[in-house]
Amino acid sequence: MKGLHFNIHTKIIAGYLFILVCLVVSLLIVMDRMSALQKEVDFVSQHDIEVHNLANQIQKNVLDIETGMRGYVITGNAEYLEPYNTATRSWLENYNTLHSLLGDDGTQQRNLEEMKPLIVNWITGSAEYVVIQKWENNQGALDEYFKKNQGKKLTDELRAHFDAFLENQKNLTNKRVEKLNQDNNNLKITLYGLIIMVTLVTIATAIFLSNSIVKTIKQVVRTIKSVTDSNETEVDLSTRIEVSTHDETRELAEAMNELLTSLEKQNWIQKSVSEISTMYQGMTDLTELTHAFITKLTPMLKAVYGVVYLRRNQGSEVRYVKEAGYAVVSEERAAASFRLGEGLIGQAAMDKRIFLIDKLPDEHFKVASGLGESSPRNLLVAPIMVDGRVEAVVEFAAFQPFMAQHLTLLDLLQDKFGSAITNVAGRMEVERLLGESQVLTEELQAQSEELQAQSEELQMQQEQLRITNEYLEEQRQFAEQRAFDLKKAKDELEDYSRKLQMSSQYKTDFLANMSHELRTPLNSILILSQMLMEIDGEMDSTEVMDSSRVIYTAGSDLLRLIDDILDLSKIEAGKIEILTDEVNVTEIPQMMKNMFDPVAAKKNLTFEVVTAANVPSVITTDGQRLQQIWKNLLSNAFKFTEQGSVTVNIELAQPEKVEKLWPGLEMEEQVLAISVTDTGIGIAKEKQQSIFEAFQQVDGTTNRQYGGTGLGLSICREFTRLLGGAIQVESEPEKGSTFILYIPCSLEAAEYPLQLEKLALDEVAVSVSEVTEEQQPANEGTETDLVVEAEASDDQLFKGKKVLLVEDDRRNVYALVTALEKKGIKVQVAENGKRAIEFIQEQADFDLVFMDIMMPVMGGYEAMKVIRQDLEMDRLPIIALTAKAMKGERDKCMEAGASDYIMKPLNINQLFSLMRVWLTEQVSQD
């Protein structure tokens, strides 16, 4: 927060506290929801059951009255009046109790009140009347009563009221149960959402803390390296490290900035001294020298005004006469000369020190330009000394204050400029004397020629220096260009490396999920087929049919996955042909309903297909590819939707949308728009484009909740492109998604050669081959080394053992449970790692655990770590079952806590062999 300064230690503590607060808040929310749900369950279990019991009891009382009355009338035995009397006394008490329980339901209470007068009328007008007549032995009155059949009408009406009342109460109970189920689902969704939110907050906090600590340090290191590693290139010392934190890294950055500032000042001073020093060479006139000096130095000092006063001896009096100026408005404003001690110029010469004055008054003097005049506020007067004598005094004025480096530069130039003045003045004096004596003697002429030769030599040296400076300038420009090119190449290489790393990660995730998707159905096929092959008459026809049905289902899933891979391969190889034909659009809604109504009914979802009136009856396109696209979109919609609805809208695309997608398409060309809208989990905005790429999924982790390989949408995109159409997605997480398919109503080309860049299937093939080579030696040795032990030994070792099977695939569960139970093993099944931990906490007497790796909610790695570390069950044998054929998978399983490792598809004999080893070792330890 702004105004608060945190050091690194405080940031780390604050990050941990923030994560802890998020966890506590999440736990409190879940506990509150669970408490409310438990109250509703208690209400249904107590209130509704009590209402049903009392209603049945009242109905039973009426039935007892009727039965007792009939028994007494028929037999005349007074013992039949005992249930009659008991029911007559108790029915009103039961009625009052039931009436009070229905206080929160006015409708049922009114229904009950309507039954009370019927019961009273039947008892007083029928039952008591018949009993009294029988008691008085008045048979004629009884015959007359039964002939009128009045009692039956009352009992029928009363029975109808009881049935209606119980039916209404049953409906109310069912509604409460449905509400409980909905609240339970909402609790699960809330729990998942809180887990995801806490995870994201944890990751964001970690990234924020690490960036805030490391970013400045890395920037300081890069800056130092750029200074220390620079040989040929000129270092840019104006670079500064900017930080927004207020911790130790800020202090480090500020110290580095101060160092760079100091280096920059020193570099500027040295460069300026070098430039001014080289300027003196070749000058033979004091006016030229002072003019060049003041013209060069004034801009370097950020001054807008400058004057040079040279020492002149006028008899015994010393004066400092103005020799050159910079931006002087008029000669009257700048004094022509000063005596020693006169004004600031004379005083500076006398004191031999620099005068620095700021906040000058506006009327002191003005600097003029074409637009106006301004008054400098800062004045600098400095003496130029040689061997302790003031040879000149310089004066500068500026709008901004003079800096420390300006004074340092001026101090360094004193000796050099003073020496130059002395040299030039001496040279001028020599030239004057030579000119005067040239006509007198030849000796002086010879000296003059010698001096001329020296002058030419100096000029030659000056020319050489100029050429050298030009060469150095060219080298400097070349070095700067080279440094720029190297930096650009470095940035491109870093960007390419980052993209290559992302591509490698997508490939790895794809291979892991593809291995799981291929090996999971293959595992159940191999186990059940091996069991069928070894059948010895012990399996009945029902078991054989169940096993065959599981094998058929797994084989169909495997074939469908292979078809998806082949479709993508054909698209990338350009082998897909488009067969143009007329497609009846009016048949598509019925096809959708026939295919997906059962799915909607099974998941309790609403499924609607809406067709606009202006949709053409027939379009020209590839019907098979079009059907494959909308089938895939609907399959995804149902897969990722747990509640709500799935809606399909078939209509013509809006003209402005068509113009945006196909700018060159003629306006009379119609485009069909098929949108699939669901109320599922939704897609984050940053992933709405990547889901159409090969190897990429919304959730590509090992414990993802939804399966699949991530090829479906990639195939849909390519098929859509071949049909000349487009596909777009609009989605918001937790609210649902809408996929819109745009297909032109007429497709003119019958066959389109596909020119697509290959994505990464070659790399997938290489990786799969590497994994296969890694597994091949182990599999070869397994088949030859397995020894079939005696059935008697197996029965003795396996019988009565208790095994926990943690597996989410029902086909594998069926196959393994069938095989293990044949050995007399008791099998407990858990659908994920979290459920397995609950079983182990409830009953810790399991002899062995089979742990699958890729599961929803909690994967195998995390579950094994919890068992080993949190539950401290180090001796419990855990055998990891995995379909991930990735390099180093065994090491990852063993590191997570697995006792042993076996890869899907499983060899049942190899599985039993592993069980013998670990069960035997466990028996020996006990």
Side-chain angles (χ1 to χ4, degrees), residues 777-796:
N779 292 336
E780 289 175 355
T782 304
E783 294 297 331
T784 57
D785 294 341
L786 286 177
V787 179
V788 180
E789 297 186 1
E791 288 293 330
S793 175
D794 279 354
D795 293 343
Q796 183 178 4

Side-chain angles (χ1 to χ4, degrees), residues 170-193:
K170 181 180 179 181
N171 292 334
L172 290 174
T173 302
N174 290 335
K175 290 180 180 179
R176 291 190 180 101
V177 172
E178 290 177 358
K179 185 175 182 300
L180 285 176
N181 293 333
Q182 183 65 33
D183 292 342
N184 188 32
N185 291 333
N186 293 337
L187 178 60
K188 292 180 180 179
I189 294 173
T190 301
L191 181 59
Y192 295 151

Side-chain angles (χ1 to χ4, degrees), residues 13 46 138 307 312 315 324 343 444 465 477 583 589 644 699 729 767 792 877 879 891 917:
I13 297 298
Q46 296 176 5
N138 190 353
V307 181
R312 292 284 188 268
L444 292 178
L465 284 175
Q477 295 177 357
V583 177
D699 182 8
V729 61
S767 300
I879 299 178
D891 295 336
V917 172

Side-chain angles (χ1 to χ4, degrees), residues 600-717:
K602 183 178 180 180
K603 298 191 72 173
N604 198 21
L605 300 175
T606 302
F607 178 44
E608 294 181 355
V609 180
V610 181
T611 304
N614 61 345
V615 172
S617 301
V618 177
I619 63 174
T620 304
T621 188
D622 190 329
Q624 179 184 356
R625 304 304 178 193
L626 178 60
Q627 181 179 356
Q628 193 168 351
I629 295 171
W630 60 253
K631 281 176 62 178
N632 197 298
L633 295 178
L634 279 173
S635 297
N636 284 345
F638 280 101
K639 178 169 71 173
F640 294 106
T641 303
E642 297 297 334
Q643 61 181 358
S645 64
V646 176
T647 305
V648 179
N649 285 294
I650 304 176
E651 59 186 1
L652 287 179
Q654 298 296 328
E656 56 270 15
K657 190 67 176 181
V658 175
E659 177 65 22
K660 183 178 180 181
L661 292 174
W662 296 279
L665 191 66
E666 298 181 0
M667 295 302 295
E668 58 269 13
E669 292 290 342
Q670 293 182 330
V671 176
L672 187 67
I674 302 176
S675 62
V676 179
T677 303
D678 62 67
T679 58
I681 62 175
I683 306 168
K685 187 174 183 180
E686 62 272 12
K687 293 187 177 181
Q688 290 182 9
Q689 293 301 323
S690 63
I691 58 174
F692 290 103
E693 301 295 333
F695 314 128
Q696 300 190 25
Q697 300 167 287
V698 175
D699 182 8
T701 57
T702 57
N703 59 347
R704 57 204 175 112
Q705 183 175 358
Y706 303 96
T709 61
L711 298 178
L713 288 178
S714 179
I715 294 174
C716 286
R717 183 192 64 178

